[in-house]
């Protein structure tokens, strides 16, 4: 199996997974570059997976379906380009001989889902849309801090080796914020240097992994003393509970430049 991110728009990736013959794509915000890439590689599009309703994740679905006949799978509770198969928690999606489990991860949007496969050539794989980013998490457009924290907590319980395929290249700006939260985190400093090199060469910083994110992503580290102290130093009236600390961290990031 091969995994490849097609960069589109300013900072989106359309992830493609293929077996040299058939392909699946995730969150195609546009169709032209996907069709071009599939043709270049001689691949047939089998399946389109969608994580949530935002246009930069769904804008290419209708054209891709029409051009390739691919089936479309998306979240049960979001406005979606019909027709499609709608899936929710614990549903299984079979594609390219793999089985993906559907996880409901509300927060960024109310019906956001993710797709997790326990074994793609020996390692788990996660397509998480705009829920978990490397070094950060999605903005709370429709969900509550409690929902997003719960979603991220369940994602962080996946095996450390899980490759994390996020939809945006936000890593460097996320890491700038992460360093403001945890200036003493050595793993974070090392990862930042690595990502700066990658971006200087115009390479993606993704996929990340769950094991790495647990070491460097402040939104998965709200139980860490250093993260709690930083959140309370930033907003001294934050109550000392997990959801309030997470909410403070998310609001702090919204205003961070
Ligand atoms: Zn989104
Ligand atoms: Zn997006």
């Amino acid at each position: 199996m091969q995994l490849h991110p097609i960069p589109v728009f300013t900072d989106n990736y359309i992830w493609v997974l293929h077996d040299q013959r058939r392909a699946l794509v995730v969150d195609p915000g546009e169709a032209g570059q996907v069709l071009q890439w599939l043709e270049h590689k001689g691949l047939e599009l089998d399946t389109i997976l969608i994580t949530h309703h935002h246009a930069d994740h769904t804008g290419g679905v209708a054209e891709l379906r029409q051009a390739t006949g691919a089936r479309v799978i998306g979240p049960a509770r979001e406005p979606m380009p019909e027709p499609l198969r709608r899936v929710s928690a614990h549903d299984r999606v079979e594609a390219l001989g793999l089985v993906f489990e559907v996880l409901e991860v509300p927060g960024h949007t109310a019906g956001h889902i993710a797709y997790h496969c326990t074994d793609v050539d020996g390692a788990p794989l996660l397509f998480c849309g705009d829920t978990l980013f490397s070094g950060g998490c999605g903005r709370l457009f429709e969900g509550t801090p409690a929902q997003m924290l719960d979603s991220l907590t369940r994602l962080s319980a996946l095996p450390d080796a899980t490759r994390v395929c996020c939809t945006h290249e936000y890593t460097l700006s996320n890491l700038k914020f992460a360093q403001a939260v945890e200036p003493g985190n050595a793993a974070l400093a090392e990862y930042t240097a690595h990502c700066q090199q990658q971006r200087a060469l115009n390479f993606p910083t993704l996929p990340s992994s769950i094991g790495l994110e647990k070491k460097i992503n402040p939104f998965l580290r709200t139980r860490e003393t250093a993260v709690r102290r930083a959140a309370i130093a930033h907003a001294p009236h934050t109550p000392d509970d997990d959801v309030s600390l997470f909410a403070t961290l998310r609001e702090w990031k919204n205003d961070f430049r």
Side-chain angles (χ1 to χ4, degrees):
M1 285 288 167
Q2 298 222 347
L3 182 65
H4 176 79
I6 301 176
V8 297
F9 310 133
T10 317
D11 49 36
N12 284 60
Y13 290 125
I14 300 174
W15 288 95
V16 189
L17 185 67
H18 69 88
D19 61 8
Q20 319 288 348
R21 194 167 66 81
R22 291 169 308 158
L24 71 78
V25 299
V26 186
D27 287 349
E30 70 104 68
Q33 290 183 71
V34 176
L35 290 170
Q36 221 172 43
W37 196 86
L38 293 170
E39 194 187 354
H40 173 67
K41 294 277 175 185
L43 297 168
E44 177 192 322
L45 186 61
D46 181 79
T47 302
I48 299 169
L49 302 178
I50 310 173
T51 63
H52 68 294
H53 69 84
H54 287 158
D56 63 311
H57 297 247
T58 58
V61 171
E63 190 184 337
L64 278 178
R65 184 205 292 114
Q66 202 175 18
T68 65
R71 67 189 175 134
V72 183
I73 291 158
R77 282 175 279 281
E78 302 235 325
M80 281 286 128
E82 302 280 353
L84 80 163
R85 176 182 161 205
R86 290 180 176 272
V87 293
S88 52
H90 311 304
D91 279 343
R92 282 163 182 275
V93 174
E94 288 182 39
L96 312 182
L98 303 169
V99 180
F100 289 85
E101 190 195 351
V102 176
L103 310 170
E104 289 194 13
V105 286
H108 177 68
T109 63
H112 199 305
I113 60 172
Y115 300 87
H116 177 248
C117 181
T118 55
D119 185 1
V120 179
D121 296 338
L125 188 62
L126 173 71
F127 295 117
C128 56
D130 288 355
T131 299
L132 174 61
F133 293 123
S134 186
C137 72
R139 278 178 190 262
L140 302 180
F141 286 119
E142 297 171 12
T144 64
Q147 283 178 316
M148 187 55 131
L149 178 60
D150 178 60
S151 296
L152 292 174
T153 302
R154 284 180 291 112
L155 293 182
S156 70
L158 295 172
D160 282 356
T162 305
R163 288 167 287 170
V164 178
C165 302
C166 331
T167 312
H168 292 272
E169 181 61 68
Y170 289 158
T171 310
L172 286 185
S173 81
N174 286 338
L175 294 180
K176 206 170 142 195
F177 175 71
Q179 289 199 303
V181 177
E182 279 192 284
N185 182 333
L188 175 59
E190 192 183 315
Y191 180 57
T192 304
H194 166 75
C195 290
Q196 282 165 342
Q197 280 176 355
Q198 291 291 104
R199 294 310 293 147
L201 299 167
N202 207 26
F203 293 155
T205 59
L206 303 170
S208 182
S209 72
I210 292 292
L212 173 64
E213 292 305 313
K214 287 195 299 196
K215 290 184 198 154
I216 61 97
N217 189 326
F219 295 96
L220 300 186
R221 296 171 59 77
T222 46
R223 292 263 166 95
E224 296 292 322
T225 309
V227 174
R228 294 178 96 90
R229 282 200 184 129
I232 288 169
H234 176 75
H237 299 297
T238 305
D240 191 18
D241 65 85
D242 291 347
V243 172
S244 303
L245 283 156
F246 180 82
T248 287
L249 213 54
R250 186 57 258 185
E251 279 167 34
W252 180 7
K253 173 70 168 68
N254 290 347
D255 303 329
F256 187 80
R257 291 288 173 272

